[in-house]
Amino acid sequence: MNLLNLEYVNEITGGDDEMLKELLSTFNEQVLEMKQHLPSLLKLDNIEDIRQLAHKFKSSMRVFGIELLASQLEYLEHNASDLSKETMRGKVDEILEQGDILLDELKLILES
């Protein structure tokens, strides 16, 4: 399952491999940041910061055509304050699992 829409990313970089790798490298750092901070915020039960983080990364996912993850983050952004801790944990786990898949995809591209 590929999350990253390379056709879209190639379109926005004009097929420039160097620009593509630079853009994907920066995006890789953002995904790592999301994976680092989201569990910490969940542990602290910091709903407002979870909402803000979800908003921030939702936009990044959409820029790269990763609609599945963007939708999950949007759901979290709009519903975080209404979710039980168990449901919130499940949603965060889903997002983190997708983040792992995305990081694997990015690694393969960046190493090629």
Side-chain angles (χ1 to χ4, degrees):
M1 170 190 214
N2 288 339
L3 295 176
L4 189 60
N5 183 343
L6 280 182
E7 285 181 32
Y8 176 74
V9 177
N10 278 320
E11 187 178 308
I12 63 174
T13 61
D16 182 333
D17 285 340
E18 188 176 317
M19 182 185 283
L20 173 69
K21 288 199 176 188
E22 186 176 320
L23 205 55
L24 291 178
S25 180
T26 300
F27 183 57
N28 187 71
E29 293 301 317
Q30 291 176 339
V31 175
L32 289 169
E33 179 184 344
M34 178 189 74
K35 286 193 43 65
Q36 177 185 5
H37 292 294
L38 197 51
S40 301
L41 295 173
L42 181 63
K43 189 179 280 190
L44 295 171
D45 200 26
N46 190 332
I47 301 301
E48 184 55 33
D49 283 352
I50 288 172
R51 291 179 66 244
Q52 288 177 10
L53 182 137
H55 174 77
K56 173 184 174 181
F57 290 108
K58 168 193 72 177
S59 301
S60 295
M61 296 304 160
R62 289 221 162 99
V63 165
F64 285 93
I66 306 168
E67 192 55 40
L68 175 63
L69 200 44
S71 295
Q72 291 173 323
L73 288 162
E74 183 173 38
Y75 178 85
L76 192 59
E77 174 190 8
H78 293 294
N79 297 291
S81 53
D82 298 327
L83 299 175
S84 69
K85 285 187 181 193
E86 184 177 314
T87 302
M88 174 81 80
R89 189 173 311 113
K91 293 295 178 188
V92 167
D93 286 347
E94 288 175 23
I95 290 168
L96 295 175
E97 286 173 18
Q98 295 298 309
D100 285 338
I101 293 168
L102 181 54
L103 287 171
D104 288 344
E105 289 179 25
L106 288 165
K107 182 179 179 183
L108 286 173
I109 295 166
L110 291 169
E111 290 178 350
S112 64

